[in-house]
Amino acid sequence: MPDKESESLRKSGTLNPRPDAVSDPRFADGRFFDPNDLMQVRYEMIRSHKEGATLKEVADRFGVSVATCVRIKRAFRQGGLQALVPERRGPRGPH
């Protein structure tokens, strides 16, 4: 049964589909950093890269591809924090 926080993240579209793939040490103890929170994971990806980690290192620690890291980095540069929110999937309007 999902907990309240996971349900809230799911409803907002920011539930990380692969929290088990996040191996960054910041997420290890689970007290502050939550691997289920996709926004937090994406922001920490950007921060890790800015702190000197290569895109390959970031991709490995956060369980994503290098291409995803590049896409997230570009989105953040162009749109800030709001750009890290995943876009709604599926049709955008009536058919």
Side-chain angles (χ1 to χ4, degrees):
M1 183 162 158
D3 63 3
K4 235 182 210 184
E5 188 173 336
S6 292
E7 186 61 23
S8 177
L9 290 170
R10 187 190 63 72
K11 284 181 181 177
S12 71
T14 59
L15 180 64
N16 187 359
R18 298 185 57 225
D20 54 312
V22 178
S23 65
D24 186 83
R26 295 174 213 185
F27 290 84
D29 69 10
R31 283 188 276 186
F32 180 75
F33 294 104
D34 181 5
N36 292 302
D37 186 341
L38 189 59
M39 289 286 294
Q40 192 174 51
V41 170
R42 287 180 172 184
Y43 183 78
E44 291 305 316
M45 288 170 56
I46 292 165
R47 196 167 82 140
S48 292
H49 183 61
K50 286 190 178 272
E51 290 173 348
T54 67
L55 288 175
K56 174 74 171 118
E57 291 168 338
V58 171
D60 290 344
R61 289 195 322 228
F62 289 90
V64 297
S65 68
V66 172
T68 297
C69 287
V70 170
R71 183 177 51 80
I72 295 299
K73 182 180 160 191
R74 183 178 304 128
F76 183 73
R77 187 175 48 240
Q78 292 173 348
L81 196 56
Q82 183 63 33
L84 300 182
V85 176
E87 291 187 11
R88 185 166 94 48
R89 299 178 78 117
R92 303 289 190 254
H95 294 285

